[in-house]
Structure formats: C-alpha cells, structure tokens
Amino acid sequence: MKKYKIASVLMMIHGAFMEIGGCFCLIPIFILGADKFNINEYISFIVPYFQENMDLMLIMGMLYGIVRVIGAVGLWKNRMWGLVLSILNCIITMILMMFMLPAGIMDGVLACSSLILILTQYFGDKKIIE
C-alpha cells in the first residue's frame, strides 16, 4: 500500500502543481493580452501547432490535470477505478511526452515513476510463469 500512496502523491504533484498550477499562472498573461507578453519566448514545444495554439493547450492542460488529480485521489483511497485511471494517465503521458518537449521530460519522469510504483505494488513478486 505504501507504493500506491507514494505514486498518488507524485500524481497529485504532477496534476495539481504542474498542470493546473501552470495553467493558472498563464491566465493573467492571456487576460492582459498575449501581445504584451511574448508567451512563446517562455514556453516552447517542438510541435508548431501546440506553439501556435497556446490557449487550447491551457484548456487541455487544465482538463488533464483535473483528471490526474481525480485518479490520484482514487488511488490514495484505494479504489480500483483510481488505479485504472492512474495507469491510463501514466500511459497516455508516456505517449504524449515526446510531443511536449522540453516540458515533457518532467512529465515523463513523474508519470513513469508513478507507473512503476503502481505496477510493482499491484503485481508484487508474482512470476510470469509459476
């Protein structure tokens, strides 16, 4: 159970601080006008579409962060749906992190370590063939 709790905390940090917190930090820039701030100077992605549609990226990041936090809470409370949602979040993050470079590096570190903790707790010392 301890590995589930650690994975849940990692996912909470990832969802609440990186995803949701990052979106909240950028909202004043968009309210005051992105023309006053060159947002692309501070945040960059390797995919030009993401770079050009930063407002859509904010919405996606917020939704993704909320779903990650919900999965983390479910995992913390030892719910099977939280386990499945957390595994799905980690796998999707591993797939998408390549498109979100350089920020995807930290996403990958948190998601991969959470997934490893979840899987090692769930499967324990079971062997493939017994």
Side-chain angles (χ1 to χ4, degrees):
M1 295 306 280
K2 187 175 182 180
K3 290 180 183 177
Y4 284 152
K5 300 291 184 192
I6 295 169
S8 177
V9 168
L10 286 175
M11 291 182 61
M12 187 67 74
I13 290 169
H14 191 181
F17 296 118
M18 284 187 61
E19 302 284 355
I20 298 171
C23 292
F24 281 140
C25 289
L26 293 175
I27 289 174
I29 292 174
F30 288 111
I31 289 174
L32 295 174
D35 55 334
K36 294 180 182 173
F37 302 96
N38 187 3
I39 193 77
N40 294 330
E41 186 177 315
Y42 304 107
I43 300 172
S44 63
F45 298 111
I46 61 170
V47 178
Y49 179 79
F50 295 160
Q51 196 71 30
E52 295 164 2
N53 296 292
M54 197 60 72
D55 52 344
L56 297 176
M57 289 292 293
L58 272 178
I59 295 167
M60 185 208 63
M62 182 71 77
L63 290 172
Y64 205 72
I66 290 168
V67 171
R68 186 179 303 278
V69 168
I70 291 170
V73 169
L75 187 62
W76 182 268
K77 292 185 173 192
N78 200 25
R79 302 290 188 258
M80 188 58 83
W81 61 264
L83 176 76
V84 173
L85 185 57
S86 297
I87 289 172
L88 288 172
N89 270 323
C90 291
I91 291 171
I92 291 169
T93 300
M94 289 172 60
I95 293 168
L96 292 178
M97 70 182 189
M98 296 306 294
F99 302 108
M100 302 295 204
L101 290 173
I105 295 170
M106 196 64 199
D107 287 336
V109 168
L110 290 169
C112 292
S113 40
S114 296
L115 184 61
I116 289 168
L117 288 168
I118 291 168
L119 293 177
T120 55
Q121 177 67 41
Y122 187 81
F123 289 107
D125 293 334
K126 293 179 187 173
K127 297 190 189 279
I128 296 172
I129 299 175
E130 295 187 24

